[in-house]
Amino acid sequence: MILQAIDLSRAYSRTIGYRKVTPLLKLHFLSRRWSADVYMKCDQLQEIGAFKIRGAANFALQLTEAQLSRGLITHSSGNHAQAVAYMANKLGTKAHIVMPENSNKLKLENAEKWGAEITLCKATIEDRLIQANRIADETGGLIIPPFDHEWIVAGQATCAMEVFSQTTDVDIFVAPLGGGGLLAGSALAAEYFSAHTLVLGAEPEQAKDGYLGYKSGVREKNVKADTVADGLRTTVGEIPFSIIKESVADIWLADEADIVPWMYRIWEESKMIIEPSSAVPFAALDKQSHKIKGKKIVVAITGGNVDLTQLP
Amino acid sequence: MILQAIDLSRAYSRTIGYRKVTPLLKLHFLSRRWSADVYMKCDQLQEIGAFKIRGAANFALQLTEAQLSRGLITHSSGNHAQAVAYMANKLGTKAHIVMPENSNKLKLENAEKWGAEITLCKATIEDRLIQANRIADETGGLIIPPFDHEWIVAGQATCAMEVFSQTTDVDIFVAPLGGGGLLAGSALAAEYFSAHTLVLGAEPEQAKDGYLGYKSGVREKNVKADTVADGLRTTVGEIPFSIIKESVADIWLADEADIVPWMYRIWEESKMIIEPSSAVPFAALDKQSHKIKGKKIVVAITGGNVDLTQLP
């Protein structure tokens, strides 16, 4: 394994002061529904409204002064952009964020809130990369990847590590699967610090590259993603995949039609705003709830950055 | 003062296991906006989605076996109904809830979820009382008042008491003002356990009976209430008023047009669903934010029972 327990421990202490230890709250109605003991790990309550601060902090905090001084760059329309903008702000350097010109207003504002410089690009992955590389060439700054890097995976592992310090005897830890940073990090955290905990991934049926790769053992790169869970449309990264295929207990799928209703159900019952991506684990678990009866389950809530003027 | 420190201390220990010690979370964006240190006390995360469990628990837990066996009665269209239904369920007795026939579906379902027997009545306070008294006569059960009783006030005091055990040096504690149970309890909690903390009430401009009574020293009973903050339409009770006029530092008003925008702003920035009533303190504080600069402020969030299918 590329990442050892010591790497996770270092990420855990390095990121103190940048990540919040977010609350772990019991979901009473789901506990009754599934005859289980169900908790949500509330990472939507991070200051940027998403878990992504963990990986971005662990990455940015390992750069030299000279590297930092040239600024941080990323291309993203989502929570990773905010995480990089936040870290640049805290570390006193500049953030350059390449965002598609059709990004929604809320996400633009959120990145700007932290003083990032936004470069709009065409809504294609190719143009995003071209623009980001151009800025990197011009400034000498580093591009911070959203998930496919071991520093990012180690940073995301701190979410499950916190859970294992907040409670004991977790039978199942569930994380949604997009690029795979959080799921891979969670699997390593369990392996090193809570060996009896099974880690499950949850993915939309309509973006199941991770599921297919996990089942076949070969990473899938060309699955069409067409899901409301916008954070999970991306393809699993190479480094996360190598960890997931070894250390994750299973990947469960959510039906597309169940995702938005589960999002609102969690809003109503928990009084917490979670994004569609964070509803995917609940939709997936509910389909196979007979398998989790009597278990203590923690679901990682990845974010709450929903544009309330554009509700699904 | 009718309620002594020992009464609050007893309420605090009596209600353990029924109230949750809800999280106290920092609001970063508001702290920046007001140049202050702003926290929300998240009582919308109580199992019934509102602080009302505190008073209802402190009341129900002081009844004799014989009283309990005849059931608990209340008339309410809101969070107090759920609190009474919840307590009856936990204590193994029956709850009879009188609700107006135009109550919304969510609130009916929430009371029914705990096994309460619902009696629909006409949408007038007179018919509510007639029906509740009829049930009390028939069953011999006790009517649990929503705010105008010292056991209720002592129970609601546990919210601020928790805050004073979760953090120190609170300069200002703010509670919305409806019937006055929470505000009166908070004022007593500060007086007895955190003497340097000022307690502020917040009321909608369009339901300002509490404000007018506080300023004149005489309780107002006939102010027309026409506000979206449905939890605050009621008139301040006699017992809460006698405490509020002595022990509250001031009452600040919120403009009606500011309430719903502040509700959504808090949703977006905190990822928490709060009711319109819980947005009133923010709208009121924002109008006079120059007075709270540099202060450590805790706002009591009273509930999150919003019908998501009927958003304002």
Side-chain angles (χ1 to χ4, degrees):
Chain A
M1 201 61 79
I2 30 170
L3 285 164
Q4 302 300 321
I6 185 71
D7 299 307
L8 271 59
S9 296
R10 285 193 180 127
Y12 199 71
S13 41
R14 184 181 292 124
T15 53
I16 288 173
Y18 295 90
R19 61 178 167 90
K20 269 203 254 182
V21 179
T22 52
L24 183 69
L25 296 178
K26 183 155 182 170
L27 285 166
H28 294 274
F29 77 104
L30 268 186
S31 297
R32 284 187 293 270
R33 181 180 171 110
W34 295 341
S35 304
D37 209 16
V38 187
Y39 295 81
M40 61 202 283
K41 170 64 172 168
C42 297
D43 248 26
Q44 80 280 22
L45 301 182
Q46 293 292 348
E47 195 170 346
I48 62 155
F51 79 99
K52 291 273 186 180
I53 190 58
R54 299 174 180 278
N58 191 46
F59 194 105
L61 291 165
Q62 294 186 69
L63 301 181
T64 63
E65 287 281 324
Q67 288 175 312
L68 268 182
S69 70
R70 294 190 289 270
L72 307 178
I73 305 166
T74 201
H75 52 91
S76 160
S77 60
N79 293 328
H80 179 63
Q82 266 196 85
V84 171
Y86 178 86
M87 284 309 298
N89 179 294
K90 292 288 165 189
L91 297 175
T93 188
K94 200 154 195 170
H96 301 273
I97 315 282
V98 179
M99 296 184 101
E101 56 197 2
N102 62 353
S103 298
N104 79 44
K105 204 170 139 271
L106 179 75
K107 287 184 173 168
L108 282 170
E109 283 171 4
N110 279 339
E112 278 172 344
K113 188 163 77 177
W114 303 110
E117 192 163 301
I118 312 290
T119 302
L120 293 176
C121 66
K122 291 186 201 126
T124 63
I125 185 73
E126 292 75 19
D127 198 49
R128 270 159 67 156
L129 289 171
I130 289 168
Q131 298 295 335
N133 285 322
R134 182 186 54 76
I135 295 170
D137 285 346
E138 284 171 18
T139 61
L142 262 179
I143 296 178
I144 303 200
F147 48 81
D148 207 356
H149 192 288
E150 55 191 273
W151 292 355
I152 300 289
V153 172
Q156 315 305 26
T158 62
C159 177
M161 290 169 79
E162 281 178 17
V163 169
F164 302 140
S165 76
Q166 288 173 301
T167 189
T168 53
D169 303 323
V170 177
D171 296 308
I172 302 173
F173 184 93
V174 192
L177 175 52
L182 181 64
L183 182 59
S186 304
L188 292 179
E191 195 162 313
Y192 294 137
F193 305 109
S194 183
H196 61 284
T197 302
L198 296 180
V199 173
L200 273 185
E203 210 176 27
E205 174 74 44
Q206 299 206 42
K208 61 178 170 187
D209 62 288
Y211 171 87
L212 294 172
Y214 178 82
K215 296 294 178 189
S216 72
V218 182
R219 188 163 76 102
E220 278 282 350
K221 278 167 280 187
N222 295 307
V223 174
K224 195 167 159 276
D226 181 18
T227 171
V228 67
D230 55 342
L232 309 182
R233 287 179 199 143
T234 181
T235 299
V236 184
E238 216 165 307
I239 290 170
F241 182 74
S242 69
I243 296 165
I244 288 167
K245 80 177 174 187
E246 296 297 328
S247 303
V248 163
D250 205 354
I251 294 171
W252 290 6
L253 295 175
D255 292 340
E256 189 63 24
D258 293 342
I259 298 173
V260 169
W262 268 101
M263 182 183 86
Y264 287 120
R265 198 169 297 160
I266 299 292
W267 285 27
E268 193 170 291
E269 299 277 357
S270 76
K271 314 308 172 198
M272 298 281 194
I273 294 186
I274 68 169
E275 327 184 313
S277 300
S278 297
V280 167
F282 297 105
L285 289 168
D286 196 56
K287 270 181 76 179
Q288 306 196 54
S289 66
H290 59 283
K291 295 188 186 165
I292 54 175
K293 210 168 162 173
K295 303 294 186 194
K296 180 164 175 177
I297 301 156
V298 175
V299 178
I301 305 297
T302 48
N305 290 319
V306 177
D307 185 346
L308 297 172
T309 63
Q310 307 261 337
L311 289 177
Chain B
M1 200 62 77
I2 30 171
L3 285 164
Q4 302 300 320
I6 186 69
D7 299 307
L8 271 59
S9 297
R10 285 194 179 125
Y12 199 71
S13 42
R14 184 182 291 123
T15 53
I16 288 173
Y18 295 90
R19 62 177 165 90
K20 269 204 255 183
V21 179
T22 53
L24 182 69
L25 297 177
K26 181 154 182 169
L27 285 167
H28 295 274
F29 77 104
L30 268 187
S31 297
R32 283 188 293 270
R33 181 180 172 109
W34 295 341
S35 304
D37 210 16
V38 187
Y39 294 81
M40 58 201 285
K41 170 63 172 168
C42 297
D43 248 26
Q44 81 281 21
L45 301 181
Q46 294 291 350
E47 195 170 348
I48 62 155
F51 79 98
K52 291 273 187 183
I53 189 60
R54 299 175 180 277
N58 190 47
F59 193 107
L61 291 165
Q62 294 186 68
L63 302 180
T64 62
E65 287 282 323
Q67 287 174 313
L68 267 183
S69 70
R70 294 191 288 272
L72 307 178
I73 306 167
T74 202
H75 53 91
S76 161
S77 60
N79 293 327
H80 179 62
Q82 267 196 84
V84 170
Y86 179 86
M87 284 310 298
N89 177 296
K90 291 290 164 186
L91 297 175
T93 188
K94 198 155 195 169
H96 300 273
I97 315 281
V98 179
M99 296 183 103
E101 57 197 0
N102 63 352
S103 297
N104 80 43
K105 204 168 138 274
L106 180 75
K107 286 182 174 169
L108 282 169
E109 283 171 5
N110 278 339
E112 277 172 344
K113 186 163 79 177
W114 303 110
E117 192 164 300
I118 312 290
T119 302
L120 293 178
C121 67
K122 290 185 201 129
T124 64
I125 185 73
E126 292 74 21
D127 198 49
R128 269 160 66 158
L129 288 170
I130 290 168
Q131 298 295 334
N133 285 322
R134 182 186 53 75
I135 295 170
D137 285 346
E138 284 170 20
T139 61
L142 262 179
I143 296 179
I144 303 200
F147 48 81
D148 207 356
H149 193 287
E150 55 191 273
W151 292 355
I152 300 289
V153 172
Q156 316 303 28
T158 62
C159 176
M161 291 168 79
E162 281 178 17
V163 169
F164 302 140
S165 77
Q166 288 174 301
T167 189
T168 53
D169 302 323
V170 177
D171 295 308
I172 303 173
F173 184 93
V174 192
L177 174 53
L182 181 65
L183 182 58
S186 304
L188 292 179
E191 195 162 315
Y192 295 137
F193 305 109
S194 183
H196 61 284
T197 302
L198 295 181
V199 173
L200 273 185
E203 209 176 27
E205 175 71 44
Q206 299 205 43
K208 61 178 169 186
D209 62 288
Y211 171 87
L212 294 173
Y214 177 81
K215 295 296 178 187
S216 72
V218 182
R219 190 163 75 102
E220 278 281 349
K221 278 167 280 188
N222 294 307
V223 175
K224 192 166 161 276
D226 180 18
T227 171
V228 66
D230 55 342
L232 310 182
R233 285 178 199 143
T234 180
T235 299
V236 184
E238 216 165 310
I239 290 170
F241 182 74
S242 68
I243 297 165
I244 289 166
K245 79 176 172 186
E246 296 296 329
S247 303
V248 164
D250 205 354
I251 294 172
W252 289 7
L253 295 175
D255 291 340
E256 188 63 23
D258 293 342
I259 298 174
V260 169
W262 269 101
M263 182 183 87
Y264 287 121
R265 197 169 297 159
I266 299 290
W267 285 27
E268 193 170 291
E269 300 276 357
S270 75
K271 313 309 172 198
M272 299 281 193
I273 294 184
I274 67 168
E275 325 183 315
S277 300
S278 298
V280 167
F282 298 104
L285 289 168
D286 197 56
K287 269 181 78 179
Q288 305 196 54
S289 65
H290 58 284
K291 295 189 187 165
I292 54 175
K293 210 166 163 174
K295 304 294 186 193
K296 180 165 175 177
I297 302 155
V298 175
V299 178
I301 305 296
T302 48
N305 290 320
V306 177
D307 185 346
L308 298 172
T309 64
Q310 306 261 337
L311 288 177

